[in-house]
Amino acid sequence: MSVATRYRVLTCFRKLHKTKYAVFQDDDFAIKETRKRINEEFKKGKNETDPEKIEELIKVAEDVDLLLRKTVIQARLVGEDRYRLRITKDTHLEDNYPFDPNAVLPEPLSKRRGKKGQKTCAEVQQELDQQELDQKPPS
């Protein structure tokens, strides 16, 4: 392993451990379990010599770091049926669009697969995909 690659691996390792503390602040159990998992995964790849495989593992580590930072939200019970959420500056918040009463909604899906006269989930998905293709203007 080259010096530059080793540096990138160690940087990812340290960054994941810092992310662990940022995401699971004051949750000792989650911090301990995350620490254990990070260390296990890096030990699995310790003896890897193929540069392509090492790059792939680095990419996975970077993706995990990003996923933890953007999607994990801590919630604490502060009263009966009340929670306080800890949302960080990195947390990805979805855009909230108001309901469009003129929207074309798909037909309800059948609860039983293949019930006469009703469509399965796969059939409805194919129709929706086809509608999207038909609505796109030609490039």
Side-chain angles (χ1 to χ4, degrees):
M1 181 186 311
S2 72
V3 175
T5 304
R6 180 175 167 76
Y7 177 78
R8 287 187 60 216
V9 169
L10 292 175
T11 301
C12 280
F13 182 77
R14 282 191 298 269
K15 188 174 181 184
L16 276 169
H17 279 289
K18 286 179 183 179
T19 298
K20 160 190 78 179
Y21 287 114
V23 171
F24 299 115
Q25 185 178 30
D26 299 329
D27 187 349
D28 294 334
F29 177 76
I31 289 172
K32 184 176 128 187
E33 291 300 313
T34 307
R35 176 183 181 272
K36 191 183 338 178
R37 184 65 190 263
I38 291 168
N39 291 341
E40 284 174 6
E41 292 300 320
F42 273 83
K43 282 179 185 173
K44 282 183 194 175
K46 181 180 179 180
N47 297 321
E48 187 62 52
T49 56
D50 181 22
E52 290 178 9
K53 181 68 174 171
I54 292 171
E55 286 300 318
E56 183 181 318
L57 292 171
I58 289 172
K59 177 70 174 137
V60 168
E62 290 170 346
D63 289 347
V64 167
D65 180 72
L66 188 65
L67 186 72
L68 283 172
R69 286 186 183 274
K70 289 190 172 281
T71 62
V72 175
I73 298 174
Q74 279 184 310
R76 293 195 185 275
L77 185 64
V78 293
E80 189 174 318
D81 297 331
R82 296 198 59 175
Y83 291 87
R84 174 167 289 133
L85 300 179
R86 194 175 72 78
I87 298 175
T88 65
K89 62 179 175 61
D90 295 324
T91 304
H92 177 71
L93 302 174
E94 292 289 329
D95 293 330
N96 191 5
Y97 296 104
F99 178 72
D100 180 7
N102 300 322
V104 178
L105 301 175
E107 296 178 27
L109 302 176
S110 66
K111 291 184 180 179
R112 293 187 193 158
R113 191 171 182 152
K115 194 173 180 182
K116 222 177 208 180
Q118 293 183 335
K119 299 174 184 174
T120 63
C121 293
E123 292 170 338
V124 171
Q125 185 62 46
Q126 286 175 345
E127 287 181 7
L128 291 173
D129 292 343
Q130 187 60 42
Q131 286 176 3
E132 285 180 14
L133 291 174
D134 293 341
Q135 290 176 357
K136 286 185 181 178
S139 301

